Amino acid sequence: MTDRTRVVITGRGVICAAGTEPNAIWRSLCAGRSSVGRVQQWDTTGWPRPLAGEIRDLDPRALVADRKLHKLVQRTDLLGLYSAGRAIAEAGLLPHRDALAAAAAQAFNDRTGIYVGCGGASYHNQYDFLPLLGAAAGDLRRFGRELTATVNPMWLLRVLPNNVLCHLGIRYGFTGANACLTTHSVSGLLALTEAAAALRAGEAERAVVVGHDAPIEPEGILYYHRLGLLTADAVRPFDAERSGTLLGEGATALVVEAEAEAVARGARILGEVLGGACTTEAQGPLAVRDDGDGAARAIDCALADAGIAAAAVGMIVAHGNGGRQSDAAEAAAIRRVFGAAAPPVTAYKWAFGHTLAASGMIDTVLALESLQAGVVPGIATLRRCDPALGDFPVSATAGIPRSDVALVIGRGFAGTAAAVLVRAQPGAR
């Protein structure tokens, strides 16, 4: 196996506020429907920013049938496990493996990797400790004495960041290369990039890649608001009146395989991962360079990794979180790489919120849907493109991709930026 190994996509799974199936979410986008609404998980009366892309009427048992597992994982993990299960089913991995002889089946498991991008620590992870902290009133000796009697004994297992990786391996028997990445909003795209690199390096023949996050919690929304990052009404990427983002929750999974392995087992190929890269601007936890340097370098590196020119890109799915500086810097990055000849640019967070670690993976699945349909969905909340961005190619109405290649951009705290290039498989839709 060489670095020229083609990495193809054979399975997808997705869940977010807009739906539980890729094509349904994409059709919702094209219809201009936003699934953002008032948070239902707690009483938001009087909250300055009560909106989010929350998955309504979430039934954990409908997502993951194993009820015992529900005691060991969190909401975000359930979303990740659900999306992975859907992707594995679409790829047909299990029927193929189960038809193999025992030794070959074990080899199949050993050559199947798992790569997960997830959010970091959540405030609700500490909820078990709060009642005792209050009752102890600063008496740490009492806190220590009564800790084991008040904190759920399963606490540690429930808050492990690599729970999805762990339980996917246990549930499906996949024992190959693996990694769990927690790098804020670029976690998912970075997991996909790492998985593709592992396949090209011969470390695995296929991998399940998951991006998941459920950041909608009182403290998270309050602190994002105090940082000035949340809007009061709608996410309006690149709009003259944009005023911030809204959090969302969700998960996406892809099954990626070395092309030869996918062809050998007769898998349906949905698309190809051409290349990817990640950079940082190294300026500070929240700092963003106005010239978009980090995102521009990530795009350049991804193009080099894919071995294609910028002119080959047919559409761009921008990070587009609706932040004034973030969007302006991202537009500058796109201008720096593509000049005045940038292909149509769109963004999806207006429809279901910013799902942080899951966002880049959701955008990747929807980018493939867009390429396969030959439609670049418009940004329904865009009223007037910011004049400061010049003739930037965004629109509230649908456009047409210039080719079968999409660039997906993700950005995160600490000045991180990720870029992934995917190509749609003709006739896969």
Side-chain angles (χ1 to χ4, degrees):
M1 197 169 288
T2 72
D3 60 356
R4 294 182 180 274
T5 297
R6 292 183 66 198
V7 176
V8 298
I9 299 167
T10 57
R12 307 153 301 165
V14 61
I15 181 170
C16 67
T20 59
E21 190 269 324
N23 186 254
I25 297 170
W26 188 81
R27 284 187 276 108
S28 179
L29 272 175
C30 292
R33 288 195 295 269
S34 170
S35 300
V36 170
R38 199 173 188 95
V39 172
Q40 301 293 310
Q41 294 181 57
W42 70 91
D43 183 3
T44 56
T45 302
W47 277 63
R49 296 292 185 270
L51 304 178
E54 188 178 48
I55 301 171
R56 300 295 174 87
D57 303 318
L58 182 70
D59 180 2
R61 288 173 294 183
L63 297 183
V64 177
D66 183 356
R67 297 180 65 178
K68 293 181 180 177
L69 187 57
H70 296 181
K71 300 177 181 178
L72 299 175
V73 300
Q74 303 180 82
R75 183 180 178 104
T76 182
D77 302 323
L78 288 171
L79 302 180
L81 291 169
Y82 166 81
S83 67
R86 299 282 291 187
I88 291 167
E90 183 174 54
L93 294 185
L94 302 187
H96 173 78
R97 181 194 62 186
D98 294 346
L100 299 173
Q106 185 56 53
F108 183 94
N109 287 337
D110 291 344
R111 298 290 290 163
T112 303
I114 303 173
Y115 290 79
V116 179
C118 63
S122 298
Y123 291 99
H124 67 256
N125 288 350
Q126 312 304 324
Y127 284 1
D128 275 16
F129 297 90
L130 299 183
L132 180 56
L133 280 172
D139 183 351
L140 292 183
R141 291 184 181 277
R142 178 185 172 188
F143 180 80
R145 281 196 308 270
E146 300 179 15
L147 185 64
T148 56
T150 59
V151 173
N152 188 323
M154 308 306 291
W155 175 83
L156 179 61
L157 297 181
R158 293 188 74 248
V159 304
L160 289 173
N162 60 342
N163 264 334
V164 168
L165 190 157
C166 167
H167 290 290
L168 280 179
I170 294 170
R171 185 173 187 181
Y172 296 104
F174 299 150
T175 50
N178 60 81
C180 182
L181 303 155
T182 56
T183 319
H184 198 241
S185 298
V186 302
S187 298
L189 285 183
L190 189 53
L192 180 58
T193 301
E194 291 292 331
L199 266 59
R200 293 190 178 102
E203 297 171 6
E205 292 171 350
R206 68 201 65 79
V208 182
V209 187
V210 185
H212 68 95
D213 215 338
I216 301 173
E217 56 179 351
E219 297 88 345
I221 286 188
L222 180 62
Y223 293 136
Y224 268 74
H225 166 55
R226 288 183 172 175
L227 288 170
L229 300 176
L230 299 184
T231 180
D233 58 356
V235 181
R236 304 183 189 282
F238 307 108
D239 190 278
E241 303 300 326
R242 66 188 183 278
S243 55
T245 198
L246 292 170
L247 296 181
E249 60 182 351
T252 298
L254 292 172
V255 171
V256 294
E257 304 187 56
E259 181 189 33
E261 300 299 327
V263 170
R265 68 180 188 85
R268 184 169 71 110
I269 295 174
L270 305 170
E272 179 181 359
V273 181
L274 300 175
C278 184
T279 64
T280 178
E281 293 180 340
Q283 300 288 302
L286 296 175
V288 175
R289 279 181 54 155
D290 290 337
D291 62 2
D293 177 72
R297 286 187 291 110
I299 297 168
D300 281 336
C301 291
L303 289 168
D305 186 42
I308 62 174
V313 176
M315 63 174 285
I316 297 173
V317 181
H319 183 64
N321 66 7
R324 293 206 66 81
Q325 186 187 15
S326 178
D327 282 6
E330 187 172 18
I334 291 170
R335 286 290 191 210
R336 178 168 137 184
V337 176
F338 293 91
V345 177
T346 190
Y348 301 139
K349 293 179 177 65
W350 63 268
F352 42 75
H354 188 347
T355 57
L356 300 187
S359 60
M361 288 285 285
I362 292 178
D363 289 351
T364 301
V365 167
L366 295 177
L368 285 172
E369 289 287 322
S370 299
L371 291 171
Q372 288 159 357
V375 175
V376 180
I379 301 172
T381 54
L382 183 71
R383 295 179 294 201
R384 183 172 66 97
C385 183
D386 187 348
L389 305 182
D391 186 21
F392 194 61
V394 291
S395 175
T397 58
I400 300 173
R402 295 198 313 211
S403 74
D404 59 355
V405 174
L407 165 67
V408 180
I409 302 171
R411 309 181 75 192
F413 287 175
T416 52
V420 165
L421 290 149
V422 293
R423 171 178 282 139
Q425 181 75 6
R429 197 161 190 265

